[in-house]
């Protein structure tokens, strides 16, 4: 087992507050007769010089007792998850998760693992890639010692992603999705054997639950450039394993890049990504994908809107559509679906009409309210709604410009419709 000491690098990499807590973790582990290690992604990021705010600590011994002993008196108590034997300490922007070292086995492909207490070497063996299978000692004289039984540091230096054993993707095929994400995030490449096994074992994605697959997609679209990961997943044939109609090409990639700035909320962008992914699907295919991934109802509604919009591109491309006609065609559809249509439509007039709706038409409404109409003597009931709709149409088409214009039109409509 290769060892080198990185305590100086670790101290420079951590904030003073996080460093103090990790030193307490190491000291408390020593006092309790345990050993504690920083593991996985944080060790990888330290070696790459990248910031990491989620710090994973593995304890050979009782992680919960170490977490309780190490929590600063002035800070909040650790959040303990007894069912999983884990605890979380929050230190400013740093989140420190402690878990007891584990060994695990899989009864069948895609099943959640059977877990038992293990050593640090066994805990590292259960990880996805060698780059994530390293640890740094935190206790006593071992503080800063690099534990690297599988050559992760060398693979990092060469920009390689390598699995730890031949059945890795069979045991947990979500590693395929994570691996492609790492490949694109870090500019790495799969080593030859890992790539062959990935393509051989992609079929085992069928063994993964919809919720777990959806969570991996959600992590993908949270990346800085999710389009690169999706393009790579498509080129490897992975997307079509998840659903035969699921694909992602250059057109979709460009739509994702252009549409990103139009949706300010992360949840909206995530839904927009799903809309882009189903653009060329039928409603039956979109519903089947949603069922496979257990997508939330709000996302499914946007997917249905997307399919509907893809079917009215020719209508929206007709020259001379009035503003109110554009509004009537688009106002029932979700913003995420509309942004997808704006960037995936091929007909320029249709694109312009969606842009016009998104930037201006959807915000136009009458000055008068239902209460104003009742104050003018209009009885409460369906007539109020019909008049408000007519007032909106007149506003959209520039037929009224002032409050007085609206009052005159409302009074005329009341006489005509009463």
């Amino acid at each position: 087992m290769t060892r080198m000491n990185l305590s100086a690098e670790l101290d420079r990499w951590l904030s003073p507050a996080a460093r103090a807590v990790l030193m307490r973790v190491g000291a408390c582990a020593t006092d309790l007769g345990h050993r504690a290690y920083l593991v996985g992604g944080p060790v990888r990021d330290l070696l790459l010089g990248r910031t990491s705010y989620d710090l994973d600590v593995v304890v050979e011994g009782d992680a919960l007792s170490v977490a309780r002993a190490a929590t600063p008196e002035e800070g909040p108590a650790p959040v303990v998850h007894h069912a999983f034997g884990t605890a979380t300490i929050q230190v400013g922007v740093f989140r420190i998760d402690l878990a007891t070292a584990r060994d695990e086995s899989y009864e069948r492909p895609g099943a959640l693992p059977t877990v038992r207490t293990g050593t640090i070497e066994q805990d590292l063996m259960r990880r996805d890639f060698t780059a994530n299978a390293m640890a740094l000692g935190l206790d006593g004289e071992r503080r800063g010692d690099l534990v690297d039984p599988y050559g992760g540091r060398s693979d990092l230096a060469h920009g390689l992603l390598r699995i730890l054993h031949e059945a890795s993707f069979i045991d947990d095929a979500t590693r395929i999705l994570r691996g492609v994400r790492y490949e694109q995030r870090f500019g790495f490449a799969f080593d030859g054997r890992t790539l062959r096994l990935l393509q051989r074992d992609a079929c085992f994605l069928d063994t993964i639950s919809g919720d777990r697959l959806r969570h991996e997609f959600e992590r993908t679209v949270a990346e800085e450039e999710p389009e690169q990961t999706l393009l790579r997943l498509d080129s490897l044939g992975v997307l079509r394993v998840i659903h035969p109609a699921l694909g992602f090409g250059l057109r979709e990639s460009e739509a994702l890049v252009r549409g990103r700035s139009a949706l300010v909320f992360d949840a909206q962008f995530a839904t927009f990504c799903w809309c882009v992914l189903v653009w060329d699907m039928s409603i039956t295919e979109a519903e089947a994908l949603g069922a496979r991934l257990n997508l939330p109802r709000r996302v499914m509604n946007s997917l249905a809107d997307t399919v509907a919009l893809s079917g009215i591109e020719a209508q929206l491309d007709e020259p001379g559509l009035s503003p109110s006609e554009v509004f009537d065609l688009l106002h029932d559809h979700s913003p995420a679906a509309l942004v997808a249509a704006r960037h995936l439509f091929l007909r320029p007039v249709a694109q312009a009409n969606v842009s016009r709706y998104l930037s201006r038409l959807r915000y136009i409404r009458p000055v008068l309210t239902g209460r104003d109409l009742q104050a003018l003597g209009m009885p409460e009931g369906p007539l109020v709604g019909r008049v408000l709709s007519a007032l909106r149409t007149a506003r959209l088409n520039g037929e009224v410009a002032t409050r007085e214009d609206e009052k005159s039109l409302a009074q005329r409509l009341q006489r005509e419709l009463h």
Side-chain angles (χ1 to χ4, degrees), residues 296-316:
R297 175 48 51 189
R298 59 176 177 77
V299 175
M300 290 303 302
N301 290 340
S302 288
L303 299 194
D305 286 346
T306 301
V307 175
L309 285 166
S310 68
I312 62 169
E313 183 176 359
Q315 242 179 305
L316 282 162

Side-chain angles (χ1 to χ4, degrees), residues 224-243:
E224 288 186 11
E225 296 182 329
E227 63 277 359
Q228 299 303 322
T229 299
L230 291 167
L231 283 169
R232 179 66 163 150
L233 289 169
D234 183 80
S235 71
L236 291 169
V238 172
L239 294 181
R240 283 176 173 77
V241 174
I242 294 169
H243 188 283

Side-chain angles (χ1 to χ4, degrees), residues 64 68 79-87 98-100 102 113 115-116:
L64 299 188
R68 293 189 187 98
V79 178
V80 176
H81 308 281
H82 291 284
F84 302 101
T86 62
L98 293 92
T100 298
R102 300 185 296 173
V115 174
R116 53 199 164 268

Side-chain angles (χ1 to χ4, degrees), residues 66-300:
V66 172
R68 293 189 187 98
T71 301
E73 292 181 5
E74 66 277 8
V79 178
V80 176
H81 308 281
H82 291 284
F84 302 101
T86 62
T88 299
I89 302 172
Q90 193 74 38
V91 186
V93 296
F94 286 89
R95 171 191 168 109
I96 302 173
D97 291 317
L98 293 92
T100 298
R102 300 185 296 173
D103 187 19
E104 63 184 28
S105 58
Y106 294 81
E107 290 186 13
R108 63 183 187 281
L112 294 175
T114 300
V115 174
R116 53 199 164 268
T117 302
T119 64
I120 186 62
E121 288 80 8
Q122 289 170 322
D123 196 276
L124 295 177
M125 180 61 183
R126 68 185 183 82
R127 296 177 183 270
D128 46 15
F129 300 96
T130 59
N132 293 328
M134 294 180 284
L136 284 182
L138 296 176
D139 56 282
E141 295 180 356
R142 294 169 56 90
R143 185 176 186 276
D145 277 358
L146 177 66
V147 184
D148 182 16
Y150 307 108
R153 183 168 175 269
S154 175
D155 284 345
L156 273 185
H158 291 91
L160 289 177
L161 285 168
R162 183 163 55 90
I163 53 174
L164 276 68
H165 57 88
E166 176 123 352
S168 181
F169 294 133
I170 297 174
D171 286 344
D172 182 1
T174 64
R175 291 168 176 165
I176 293 172
L177 303 176
R178 285 201 301 282
V180 174
R181 198 161 63 241
Y182 295 148
E183 184 190 43
Q184 300 306 308
R185 184 195 304 169
F186 300 123
F188 287 179
F190 292 108
D191 83 318
R193 173 173 169 270
T194 295
L195 184 59
R196 288 193 298 274
L197 293 173
L198 182 156
Q199 293 174 304
R200 183 197 73 180
D201 298 336
C203 58
F204 285 95
L205 285 164
D206 281 344
T207 68
I208 304 299
S209 72
D211 287 335
R212 292 180 68 202
L213 287 176
R214 186 184 72 254
H215 291 323
E216 291 299 332
F217 271 98
E218 289 167 352
R219 293 184 180 104
T220 293
V221 302
E223 294 284 309
E224 288 186 11
E225 296 182 329
E227 63 277 359
Q228 299 303 322
T229 299
L230 291 167
L231 283 169
R232 179 66 163 150
L233 289 169
D234 183 80
S235 71
L236 291 169
V238 172
L239 294 181
R240 283 176 173 77
V241 174
I242 294 169
H243 188 283
L246 189 59
F248 190 86
L250 290 177
R251 181 183 173 200
E252 290 80 10
S253 174
E254 291 170 2
L256 227 59
V257 172
R258 293 197 303 268
R260 184 177 294 125
S261 60
L263 296 157
V264 295
F265 301 113
D266 290 344
Q268 280 188 324
F269 179 69
T271 302
F272 163 68
C273 291
W274 288 115
C275 294
V276 171
L277 282 164
V278 305
W279 181 255
D280 286 325
M281 291 188 187
S282 68
I283 188 62
T284 302
E285 290 168 334
E287 288 175 347
L289 176 66
R292 171 69 180 99
L293 301 180
N294 196 22
L295 293 176
R297 175 48 51 189
R298 59 176 177 77
V299 175
M300 290 303 302

